[in-house]
Amino acid sequence: MNHESPPRAWVDVDLEAIAHNLDIARQALPDTALMPVIKAGAYGHGLEPVARRLDADGIAYFGVANAGEARRISRANLRTRPFILGPTIPDEREEIVSQGWCCTVSTLEEARHFNSLAALAGHRFTVHVAVDTGMGREGFLPAELGEAAPQLAALEHLDVEGVMSHFPAADEDVPFTQAEIGVFTDCVAQLQQHFNLRYRHIAASAGELGYEVPIANLARPGLLLYGVAPMASIYDGVLRPTLRLSSRVSLVRELPAGHGVAYGRTYMTERPTRVATIGIGYADGWSRRLSGSGARVYIRGHYCPMLGRVTMDQIMADVTDAPEVAPGDEVELIGPHIPVTEVAERAGTIVWEIFTGLGPRLPRNY
Ligand SMILES: *Cc1c(COP(=O)(O)O)cnc(C)c1O
């Protein structure tokens, strides 16, 4: 016998839904190039499979977080090149230059380092100038550009292909964001005196859905691709959910009234209770902050409240009102009946963290 048991918990990914959501982004911004953001393993959906599915004409770059993710994109032999969104660490730069991955520069020091590495490598290197219009994470301050731009332009082995910034509060502070668009527009004008800027970009999903940025011609949608709109928009009902998180019931037992459930005995049964033990825990990304939050799971057509704390590999749910539930049954934790937005709200966090927290122990099925 050589039978492999099915997993206790897993993720089903709908690649067509991700492609559909990218089309929605394209329709929303008809004259704008797109950089699908697939950092953090495509927000838990799986880096290579998502990249392969989206690797089509009309995509400018794949947005990744670091050199390790860029390397995985390179090795997948795709036509689209990776773009490293955050600042680069000095000892990553040699690989970045030799591979010709695109990235940003925030200081003259970084730019000079890239310039000398490109000189050594014997080819030119393409960068985007980052400007900090409010995020405080990377980029030249707008006031520094006047002095920095001519010095950047003097670096012989660098090609400045674009300018980028990032909204810190597109979904929380509309007046700030509108003012920020003006600042960004001025920065672009200033840089355009020195460079032919093929790409000008500032918006992620929220910025894309909520604002007009006439100077921009590239957008970086992330969350939106994975079916969630961070801002109310006309595209709300049109995005398709992309992922389903499932587990299975391992055991069903009857506990008497007054019995504790899980660590700390924070939950005590109030009546004789049928309790299902389910094979998923915080090690899989089912956050421990869901403990006592009113989180629920969906089994055989019933919503079943989760009981007590989330443990590393298991959770318990009340199946008293779902008498047919039995060991082996599938359990929906995120899916058509339990949207990821509900899970994030109960966990007191954002959808991004729920997606990217889905652990490596969960097999991904496509
Ligand atoms: C993560 C990230 C994005 C994508 O953000 P979403 O809100 O998920 O669309 C875009 N740009 C940068 C610089 C990022 O770090």
Side-chain angles (χ1 to χ4, degrees), residues 31 223 306 322:
D31 298 318
L223 191 67
M306 199 180 72

Side-chain angles (χ1 to χ4, degrees), residues 37 39 43 85 137-138 164-166 203-206 220-224 230 352:
V37 175
K39 63 189 177 189
Y43 292 40
L85 294 162
R137 191 166 68 174
E138 64 175 326
M164 73 95 78
S165 186
H166 189 56
S205 299
R220 307 184 305 259
L223 191 67
L224 167 54
W352 291 262

Side-chain angles (χ1 to χ4, degrees), residues 36 56 92 98 123 181 195 199 218 242 279 281 298 309 316 339 344 350:
E92 294 173 336
S98 71
H123 56 74
I181 291 169
F195 307 106
Y199 291 122
L218 173 66
T242 54
Y298 189 80
R309 288 188 186 153
M316 276 67 85
I350 53 175

